Amino acid sequence: MIIFTTQLLRKMPNKLVIKANQQGDNQTNKPNKSNLIMHNAEAKCFNQAAAENFAKVKPSYFLLPVGLLIAIAFFLYSEDALNIDSYRQIQKSAFYYINAKLSQFPNLEFNLTQLGDALVLLSFLTILIIRRPKIWEHLITSSLVSLLITFVLKTFFLVPRPAATFNNSSFTIIGDTLTCNNSLPSGHTITIFTTLTVLMFGFMPKALKNRILWCVFIVTAGFFIALSRVAVGAHYPLDVLIGSIVGYICGITGILVCQKYNIWGWICERKYYPFFIGLFLICCFVLITKITSNNLFIFYLSIVSLAFSSYVFTKACIKR
């Protein structure tokens, strides 16, 4: 009896150690599963919040931008500037002033103006396709609307660029000298404000004070970037102002279309991730060709962003 009891006591610590190790392993694995569940819940929660924000956008949101466009048209009419020549001349002083002030920072302005290129701007948001797909559903629709409207307006107005109107030695030109007849409105500005409008509503805070601060920040950032088009000598000030208003209208239009039609709901499905990975690689190649022409820092940032998104998508593809 004594011998049996002694052997039992010797075996018990080993069993206790094994059990403790197993509990430790379980506790180690639990946080990983818990973090994954929390991450998925957070993503779903945000997409739900974004969907609720977008659902609050109404057709009445067109009233302000349309009113501003009417006010600009009335101003041009009062100045007898509804023709191309007068339109350019009434902005000459403002164009020279803004161009002279902002062109003192050529590297900054030349990098900023690249954000009006959809390839560059949207590359910084590619990670949202997998983490915030609701935002991208509205971004795609709004971008397509802006592309169509930009083409129609530029074709209709046919306003010559500043470099085709003024003496090129009288103001600063950064980058290529643009002399074509497609100055009104600024396509880069439309792209910027279309994207920022979608982001503004998608990430809209709940508190009124935070909403005001958020909207002011978005509009300020938008104009700060958009004015780079005047700084590089590519557009008149009114091109930028009208482009910002049209961009807002494009953003609202895209949001309203997505409210009615679920066009891009498939982008969050994993089976389409290889398509996005291939698209990101193509975009990286295009950006590399841009670097060979203009070695700009923002192009490198875009490539890094696309590379990171490709990594995240690839990881999601191979994950079981």
Side-chain angles (χ1 to χ4, degrees), residues 11-303:
K11 293 179 180 180
M12 283 181 64
N14 293 331
K15 293 180 178 180
L16 290 174
V17 170
I18 294 172
K19 186 176 182 180
N21 290 336
Q22 291 175 345
Q23 290 178 348
D25 292 338
N26 292 334
Q27 290 177 355
T28 302
N29 293 330
K30 283 181 180 179
N32 293 332
K33 294 180 180 179
S34 177
N35 289 338
L36 180 60
I37 293 173
M38 289 177 63
H39 175 76
N40 293 334
E42 182 184 357
K44 291 180 180 179
C45 181
F46 178 85
N47 281 323
Q48 181 62 31
E52 292 175 358
N53 286 336
F54 289 132
K56 295 176 182 177
V57 176
K58 306 297 180 183
S60 58
Y61 284 32
F62 286 122
L63 293 177
L64 177 60
V66 170
L68 291 174
L69 289 177
I70 293 174
I72 293 173
F74 180 77
F75 166 75
L76 293 174
Y77 173 78
S78 65
E79 296 291 326
D80 193 24
L82 289 178
N83 60 81
I84 293 177
D85 290 334
S86 298
Y87 174 82
R88 294 177 296 180
Q89 290 302 319
I90 65 169
Q91 301 182 74
K92 185 175 182 179
S93 298
F95 170 77
Y96 279 144
Y97 178 80
I98 296 174
N99 177 264
K101 293 296 182 181
L102 297 182
S103 62
Q104 297 179 32
F105 313 96
N107 291 331
L108 173 63
E109 297 299 337
F110 199 26
N111 277 276
L112 281 178
T113 202
Q114 305 306 321
L115 290 173
D117 185 340
L119 172 62
V120 177
L121 180 59
L122 296 180
S123 67
F124 292 107
L125 305 176
T126 50
I127 192 63
L128 296 180
I129 298 176
I130 193 171
R131 296 186 175 177
R132 304 291 187 264
K134 186 61 65 176
I135 297 290
W136 256 90
E137 291 177 25
H138 293 75
L139 275 176
I140 296 173
T141 303
S142 298
S143 297
L144 291 176
V145 171
S146 69
L147 184 65
L148 175 62
I149 291 181
T150 300
F151 174 77
V152 171
L153 293 179
K154 284 181 175 290
T155 304
F156 177 77
F157 289 113
L158 295 176
V159 176
R161 299 270 188 164
T165 302
F166 306 135
N167 186 348
N168 291 358
S169 62
S170 62
F171 65 96
T172 302
I173 297 176
I174 303 173
D176 297 332
T177 301
L178 304 176
T179 57
C180 43
N181 297 333
N182 60 355
S183 189
L184 178 66
S186 168
H188 280 64
T189 304
I190 291 177
T191 298
I192 292 166
F193 272 87
T194 297
T195 303
L196 291 181
T197 297
V198 174
L199 295 178
M200 180 177 69
F201 285 105
F203 290 94
M204 186 69 74
K206 292 183 178 181
L208 178 60
K209 180 180 178 181
N210 293 336
R211 286 184 183 181
I212 295 173
L213 292 175
W214 174 240
C215 292
V216 170
F217 169 75
I218 287 292
V219 174
T220 303
F223 276 115
F224 183 75
I225 299 171
L227 284 175
S228 65
R229 299 306 293 160
V230 182
V232 300
H235 282 285
Y236 309 99
L238 278 180
D239 295 346
V240 170
L241 179 59
I242 294 172
S244 64
I245 298 172
V246 172
Y248 176 81
I249 291 175
C250 293
I252 296 298
T253 302
I255 292 173
L256 293 176
V257 170
C258 282
Q259 285 181 6
K260 192 171 183 180
Y261 305 102
N262 185 22
I263 306 173
W264 311 105
W266 54 268
I267 65 172
C268 60
E269 297 181 18
R270 185 178 298 182
K271 63 181 179 179
Y272 296 110
Y273 287 0
F275 165 77
F276 289 111
I277 295 172
L279 183 61
F280 297 160
L281 294 177
I282 293 174
C283 292
C284 285
F285 175 78
V286 175
L287 286 169
I288 291 173
T289 61
K290 285 180 175 290
I291 290 175
T292 58
S293 300
N294 296 294
N295 190 21
L296 297 177
F297 180 67
I298 197 166
F299 292 153
Y300 291 99
L301 291 180
S302 297
I303 292 175

